[in-house]
Amino acid sequence: MKKWMLLLPIVMVLSSCGSKLPELHIYNWDDYIEKSILKEFEKEYNCRIIYDTFASNEDLLAKFQAGAKGYDVIFPSDYMVNTLASQDMLYPIQHDKIPNLKYLDEQFSNPPYDPGLMYSIPYTYGFSGIGYDTDAFDNELNSWKIFWDAAYNDRMILLDDMREVFGIAFKILGYSINDTDPKHLAEAAELLKEQKKYLRKYDSAMSKNLLLSGEVALIHHWSGDVYQLIEEDGRIAFSIPEEGSVLFTDCMAIPKTAQNLELAEKFIDFILRPEISARIINTIWYPMPNTKALELIDPEIRSDENIFPPAEVIKRSEFLQDLGEYTSVMEKVWTELKIN
Ligand code: N2P
């Protein structure tokens, strides 16, 4: 037998790898999907999903600025869609490839961060607020100022998220969460420095577990994430403080570096199927702007005013906006706050 013939089995294995299933690479927030729908998509489109998660918009941006390639569908929030699009990182969405867009609630079809939905399709919306252990408090919480209460020293966690954390300080000071006056930023930093004395840590990934186990008494977190906890344990509560809060729309977008554009469009369209959206809402407890899905979700979720907040709560909240070059000014102050 010739020597090269011994290599035949290896060559055959390698060539069968060449015909492997097409892949779809997804980059989403933690705890933000109903897992079985991924399996269903794989089956229906005969592909393999590679699923990866991030904990803040800034982490997502940093990954792309560092040259990450190969993600096909990403989930930036409103202002980050704007940032990524203005840095030419997003592929324009071909609306004719997403027929289920017909189910999108019209109120979400022309958002200021992405007029006409050129680069993004809304996925969910929600609020930032306070998740807390009702056993640790005599009254309901209704102000961000509770994070400055020494009685909860080392039992509080704020999100590891620059815009969200400055957002709290700006709201207490009576400024917009999109304020760009350096004097106001210095005031906010001073306030947060005071708060840091009592803070366990800035963290977005682990704080829910620590609240559930009773290790900490209150956390700054996002609405649906805290509702997932409430579902597990009724002693947890969520509050959107009276000073106002961050209202966000998280979106689906396709990076310019995507490897599988066609599958990415199919995935976005799949998510917009009413029965798929309804299953996601029932699991992650964030509303999705899908008119038809709302008819299919659990009535208990549909009638919950915290999940679908009344107009006055929406009115006192604000969307974060892309701050352009001022972002780097804030980043410097944020880094100082975190290391000192
Ligand atoms: C997902 C939290 C995303 C909300 N678990 C913040 N945009």
Side-chain angles (χ1 to χ4, degrees):
M1 184 158 67
K2 299 235 177 333
K3 246 194 200 156
W4 63 266
M5 287 177 103
L6 292 172
L7 291 173
L8 257 187
I10 302 175
V11 172
M12 278 160 72
V13 169
L14 287 178
S15 61
S16 72
C17 287
S19 64
K20 67 180 185 181
L21 295 178
E23 289 178 350
L24 179 73
H25 290 251
I26 297 176
Y27 199 32
N28 194 358
W29 297 81
D30 296 313
D31 301 327
Y32 224 20
I33 197 101
E34 208 263 287
K35 292 262 161 61
S36 70
I37 69 139
L38 301 177
K39 290 264 157 281
E40 278 174 43
F41 184 83
E42 287 181 325
K43 216 166 139 206
E44 188 169 329
Y45 290 97
N46 196 27
C47 66
R48 194 170 145 239
I49 290 182
I50 321 290
Y51 195 84
D52 194 5
T53 59
F54 59 86
S56 76
N57 282 299
E58 285 64 31
D59 287 358
L60 166 76
L61 177 64
K63 191 119 180 178
F64 277 86
Q65 284 176 333
K69 285 195 179 66
Y71 288 114
D72 300 300
V73 183
I74 58 172
F75 288 69
S77 302
D78 34 62
Y79 73 99
M80 191 49 65
V81 169
N82 203 332
T83 308
L84 292 166
S86 61
Q87 296 186 24
D88 201 24
M89 289 182 176
L90 298 181
Y91 187 82
I93 303 259
Q94 312 296 308
H95 287 202
D96 57 333
K97 299 276 171 52
I98 323 274
N100 289 329
L101 254 183
K102 61 175 178 275
Y103 299 119
L104 186 77
D105 182 339
E106 234 178 60
Q107 293 182 75
F108 287 77
S109 63
N110 197 23
Y113 59 85
D114 183 20
L117 301 177
M118 273 268 284
Y119 297 102
S120 66
I121 304 295
Y123 177 61
T124 50
Y125 59 99
F127 292 85
S128 316
I130 308 173
Y132 62 102
D133 181 344
T134 51
D135 290 349
F137 299 90
D138 295 329
N139 301 310
E140 283 179 15
L141 301 187
N142 57 13
S143 167
W144 290 117
K145 290 185 186 141
I146 190 72
F147 283 106
W148 276 256
D149 189 334
Y152 300 99
N153 183 28
D154 204 35
R155 301 189 62 213
M156 312 192 261
I157 296 177
L158 294 183
L159 285 168
D160 186 5
D161 191 305
M162 172 180 83
R163 297 296 306 276
E164 294 278 3
V165 169
F166 278 107
I168 295 182
F170 285 145
K171 281 294 181 196
I172 290 179
L173 293 165
Y175 304 135
S176 158
I177 55 174
N178 296 304
D179 192 286
T180 52
D181 180 336
K183 278 201 222 90
H184 295 167
L185 183 62
E187 273 178 66
E190 226 14 77
L191 198 60
L192 291 168
K193 224 159 114 191
E194 276 302 301
Q195 195 285 326
K196 210 183 155 199
K197 290 195 272 195
Y198 313 125
L199 186 71
R200 167 80 60 102
K201 58 177 170 173
Y202 294 113
D203 171 277
S204 307
M206 290 308 296
S207 62
K208 289 194 290 176
N209 293 344
L210 296 177
L211 180 63
L212 204 55
S213 69
E215 270 242 7
V216 299
L218 66 160
I219 64 173
H220 164 216
H221 221 293
W222 295 295
S223 45
D225 281 77
V226 179
Y227 286 113
Q228 293 167 28
L229 292 188
I230 296 174
E231 176 68 356
E232 269 184 66
D233 190 331
R235 63 174 229 290
I236 309 295
F238 182 69
S239 144
I240 299 171
E242 63 193 5
E243 293 95 348
S245 178
V246 173
L247 165 61
F248 59 81
T249 306
D250 290 335
C251 307
M252 298 179 276
I254 305 176
K256 275 224 165 132
T257 49
Q259 309 279 312
N260 204 331
L261 181 59
E262 203 180 314
L263 216 44
E265 289 164 341
K266 293 225 156 68
F267 184 78
I268 294 175
D269 197 51
F270 180 80
I271 293 287
L272 293 176
R273 287 185 195 170
E275 67 281 10
I276 297 293
S277 286
R279 276 167 57 197
I280 297 174
I281 301 172
N282 285 340
T283 309
I284 67 171
W285 298 78
Y286 282 96
M288 295 166 84
N290 184 309
T291 44
K292 194 99 186 134
L294 296 185
E295 296 167 17
L296 305 174
I297 59 174
D298 288 349
E300 187 202 342
I301 297 184
R302 183 68 195 95
S303 58
D304 191 322
E305 282 217 335
N306 286 308
I307 300 174
F308 293 91
E312 56 93 12
V313 175
I314 297 183
K315 219 167 128 197
R316 62 174 197 258
S317 306
E318 278 181 275
F319 280 109
L320 288 166
Q321 287 163 14
D322 178 15
L323 301 180
E325 283 174 11
Y326 190 74
T327 306
S328 59
V329 178
M330 189 180 272
E331 262 159 9
K332 202 162 154 259
V333 182
W334 173 236
T335 309
E336 273 163 23
L337 177 69
K338 279 178 67 173
I339 57 177
N340 288 320

